[in-house]
Amino acid sequence: QSCLSRQQLLAAIRQMQQLLKGQETRFAEGLRAMRSRLSSLHSTLAKAAPEAPTVSCPALQAPVDGRKFGTKYLVEHEVHFTCNPGFHLLGSSTRMCQANGTWTGQEPRCEEISECSSSPCQNGGTCLEGLNQFKCLCPQQWTGTTCQHQAQTAPPTWSVTDDPEFSRQPRCAQVAQTQQCSCDPGFHMSGMASNGLCQDLNECEVFQWDGGPRLCAHSCVNIPGSFRCSCPSGYVLLGDGKSCEDIDECSLSQDNCTGGSSCINTGGGFQCVTPQCPPAAGNVSYVKTSPFQCERNPCPMESRSCHHAPKTISFHYLPLPSKLLTPTPLFRMATAAAPGRPGPDSLRFGIAGGKSRGHFVVQRSDRHTGELILVQSLRGPQTIQVDVDMSEYLDRVFQAKHLSKITLFVSAYEF
């Protein structure tokens, strides 16, 4: 009886195994059918709702006698325009691509600046247009750059007559029963040869009057028979006798900056600067890690405002000459990943604050670099600050922001 019970038990086990195997087969077939149905549903959804195409705007061209900055025409991208020297911009200097595929603003064009539009010529003079300059053709009885002097009473602007140092007797010789007189270089004959006098030729006035090339980069000083150039304080005259070069007071230790400040060389002088980190506000506080950089202290995990505050703040000082030709790159921001950590896959640049924002644009130069570009000339002397921020993203998630505070010291001179 016990033997029979054992055979019955083995048979029951085999029957149970076959039943489980059958159920396992049916379960696997059910999974395959479900996967196939899901795949079919995904395919149907993809056909029914295709992805919306990326919106872009029509390509923009630079205006005639002008330039364009920006090569991306997708939504929220900006394109900037400037004009060449001698022209001014009409229309929009900046246009942004909108979600409906059109650009904001008006089409820009460059119009030539007319020097004669203000009618500078007096007393019936005729104005002739030149390249960034004008010239007056005066009636017979008038003279001067704007026909402002009566010809019979006004002395020649290029001659010195009231200083004996600038007058000399001519050199005369008898040639074939006639007297021939001449003047030294730098002098011209005034009056008749019989009673004439050699008067100094004021080279500084002649070149200014003729509208020719400037003799000197800064100031021209007339001397008997010649001229010399001079430079403003803080500059030295170069070997060519005409050009001026800035004296670097900082490198020559000619500054009076105290131990807590740094010397920044500027055109014609220097500045003592002491960059300061912003004061603590809420959970955001900074510590100075070098003379020109501050770093944010660690943020509480729950403080969103702290994490979005600049992680680093750096200070930069740039000397510039007055009326610098534009467009000119001034400053570059770049990112670098820490060793062993993935770097950002996307960057966004912007002008965060400061005065005269219309003078600058920020343009990406490559995947990890952005440039601050001067697009409208600055006239000195003046000091301008512009703040540029760089935000880092990884998989479209904000990682960190870096702020560069840039101070421009614009010189009073064009050199």
Side-chain angles (χ1 to χ4, degrees):
Q1 187 179 5
S2 62
C3 182
L4 182 62
S5 297
R6 184 175 181 184
Q7 289 176 348
Q8 290 174 343
L9 184 59
L10 289 173
I13 291 174
R14 283 195 295 270
Q15 188 177 4
M16 184 65 72
Q17 286 176 337
Q18 289 176 352
L19 178 63
L20 289 173
K21 187 174 183 180
Q23 288 180 345
E24 184 180 352
T25 301
R26 285 193 297 274
F27 182 72
E29 290 175 350
L31 280 178
R32 283 195 294 270
M34 187 176 293
R35 288 196 185 102
S36 175
R37 185 174 179 81
L38 284 173
S39 178
S40 177
L41 284 172
H42 277 299
S43 177
T44 304
L45 284 173
K47 291 178 181 177
E51 287 189 11
T54 303
V55 177
S56 64
C57 293
L60 297 177
Q61 302 298 323
V64 179
D65 299 310
R67 298 186 65 178
K68 179 191 74 171
F69 297 91
T71 57
K72 291 189 176 181
Y73 306 137
L74 302 179
V75 174
E76 295 188 358
H77 278 75
E78 292 182 346
V79 176
H80 308 274
F81 305 91
T82 62
C83 291
N84 297 336
F87 296 84
H88 66 96
L89 186 74
L90 298 177
S92 301
S93 61
T94 298
R95 303 185 73 182
M96 185 177 73
C97 181
Q98 303 178 103
N100 62 2
T102 63
W103 292 98
T104 61
Q106 303 295 322
E107 182 178 359
R109 62 187 179 91
C110 295
E111 184 177 82
E112 188 173 8
I113 299 172
S114 173
E115 300 291 341
C116 289
S117 60
S118 60
S119 303
C121 301
Q122 307 172 33
N123 302 307
T126 302
C127 184
L128 296 179
E129 199 80 52
L131 181 61
N132 297 329
Q133 63 180 1
F134 68 92
K135 192 173 183 67
C136 292
L137 295 181
C138 303
Q140 188 173 3
Q141 68 273 28
W142 297 93
T143 185
T145 54
T146 58
C147 308
Q148 73 273 34
H149 297 305
Q150 287 188 333
Q152 62 267 33
T153 59
T157 58
W158 38 264
S159 178
V160 178
T161 59
D162 56 354
D163 190 333
E165 286 288 326
F166 291 84
S167 300
R168 296 180 183 177
Q169 293 296 325
R171 297 193 308 272
C172 299
Q174 200 76 16
V175 179
Q177 299 182 349
T178 60
Q179 191 177 40
Q180 301 284 339
C181 297
S182 63
C183 296
D184 293 332
F187 290 83
H188 71 101
M189 183 72 71
S190 175
M192 303 298 293
S194 57
N195 61 354
L197 188 66
C198 290
Q199 291 182 326
D200 175 64
L201 182 69
N202 189 334
E203 294 86 357
C204 303
E205 290 290 343
V206 168
F207 275 81
Q208 183 180 1
W209 179 68
D210 284 343
R214 294 176 61 182
L215 290 179
C216 303
H218 177 58
S219 178
C220 179
V221 180
N222 186 55
I223 58 177
S226 186
F227 70 95
R228 64 178 176 83
C229 297
S230 67
C231 295
S233 175
Y235 293 84
V236 62
L237 191 67
L238 292 180
D240 62 3
K242 300 179 180 180
S243 305
C244 298
E245 184 176 63
D246 174 57
I247 298 172
D248 190 343
E249 292 85 358
C250 298
S251 65
L252 296 175
S253 299
Q254 295 179 0
D255 62 277
N256 57 1
C257 299
T258 61
S261 60
S262 300
C263 180
I264 304 295
N265 184 60
T266 63
F270 63 92
Q271 293 282 341
C272 300
V273 300
T274 311
Q276 298 292 336
C277 299
N283 292 325
V284 183
S285 62
Y286 292 87
V287 61
K288 204 169 187 180
T289 55
S290 75
F292 298 102
Q293 180 153 316
C294 301
E295 292 191 14
R296 190 188 67 210
N297 286 314
C299 292
M301 288 297 294
E302 71 281 359
S303 178
R304 179 181 176 86
S305 61
C306 181
H307 285 286
H308 278 76
K311 186 176 182 180
T312 65
I313 301 176
S314 56
F315 301 86
H316 309 268
Y317 302 91
L318 305 177
L320 290 183
S322 181
K323 295 190 284 186
L324 183 66
L325 289 178
T326 57
T328 300
L330 297 179
F331 180 77
R332 178 174 292 179
M333 291 184 76
T335 184
R341 299 184 63 183
D345 55 19
S346 177
L347 298 175
R348 293 181 188 174
F349 297 91
I351 296 177
K355 297 180 181 179
S356 301
R357 290 182 60 172
H359 289 81
F360 310 95
V361 297
V362 177
Q363 179 175 297
R364 187 187 302 275
S365 56
D366 58 42
R367 183 179 177 85
H368 297 292
T369 309
E371 285 184 324
L372 177 69
I373 299 176
L374 178 69
V375 294
Q376 187 175 337
S377 188
L378 296 170
R379 187 186 297 268
Q382 63 173 316
T383 300
I384 290 181
Q385 181 172 307
V386 57
D387 297 344
V388 179
D389 61 29
M390 177 180 70
S391 298
E392 300 177 340
Y393 291 81
L394 182 61
D395 295 331
R396 299 185 180 182
V397 178
F398 174 82
Q399 300 294 306
K401 179 188 292 184
H402 304 274
L403 181 66
S404 295
K405 300 180 75 67
I406 305 163
T407 303
L408 306 174
F409 298 111
V410 186
S411 164
Y413 309 105
E414 298 175 39
F415 44 80

